[in-house]
Amino acid sequence: MIRILLAGQGGQGVLSAGKFLAESGLHEGKEVTYLPAYGPEMRGGTANCSVIISEHPIASPLCNTPDVLIAMNGPSFHKFAPRVRSGGIIIVNGSVSDCYAGRDDVRICDVAAGDIALEAGDVRSANMVMLGAFIALTGAVKERSIFNCLNEKFVGKPHVLDCNRAAFEAGVAAVKK
């Protein structure tokens, strides 16, 4: 079982990334929970979601102590980093945040998601960079499953599909260096 908390600002694609992750787990026949939380603002407010993926039934969708934190901005990183379990992973968007958590019991991966997404074609695909980094680090779901979800979501939008796919692959490559 892996518990993931994705957090950021509205408009950064936090909820979309969580949904792709949850749907990918379902495509693979795994047990999955997806629990979004967001402020009343459309953009600029806070947004986070928790995703739990398991081979066995999941008792609760709550993710109080995540195994992995994917933080898209500084405020989310500093708010949720203390909650990550000892031995867990924090993936932080280094394009917009520092990566100092004041902890030495977690692995911190600084991924310049905004910069990488821009190189891949669109800064709005930074969430896919982070998702690629997550998959490369954990193997929680197969890359193929994410690509299937992208194909379903962006059918009829080949440019958006290509950009998101390139961003995902760049995220994978960023942590494999």
Side-chain angles (χ1 to χ4, degrees), residues 90-173:
I90 299 172
I91 307 169
V92 60
N93 181 357
S95 293
V96 295
S97 177
D98 66 275
C99 62
Y100 179 72
R103 296 182 61 179
D104 59 3
D105 63 333
V106 295
R107 179 176 177 189
I108 298 176
C109 296
D110 183 351
V111 177
D115 301 332
I116 294 169
L118 193 56
E119 288 176 22
D122 192 334
V123 72
R124 294 175 294 183
S125 62
N127 63 335
M128 295 310 298
V129 173
M130 297 293 272
L131 199 52
F134 167 77
I135 297 303
L137 289 168
T138 67
V141 296
K142 295 177 178 69
E143 289 181 30
R144 179 184 72 237
S145 298
I146 297 289
F147 293 144
N148 288 341
C149 288
L150 285 171
N151 289 336
E152 289 173 12
K153 171 75 174 173
F154 299 118
V155 66
K157 297 180 180 179
H159 174 70
V160 177
L161 174 62
D162 292 345
C163 181
N164 278 280
R165 188 177 178 121
F168 179 87
E169 290 171 343
V172 170

Side-chain angles (χ1 to χ4, degrees), residues 43-88:
R43 292 194 181 274
T46 60
N48 68 76
C49 65
S50 61
V51 178
I52 301 174
I53 301 173
S54 178
E55 298 292 335
H56 306 287
I58 300 167
S60 170
L62 298 179
C63 185
N64 295 324
T65 309
D67 300 302
V68 180
L69 168 63
I70 300 173
M72 292 295 297
N73 65 3
S76 297
F77 170 67
H78 293 290
K79 178 178 181 179
F80 294 113
R83 290 178 41 185
V84 176
R85 75 162 174 81
S86 181

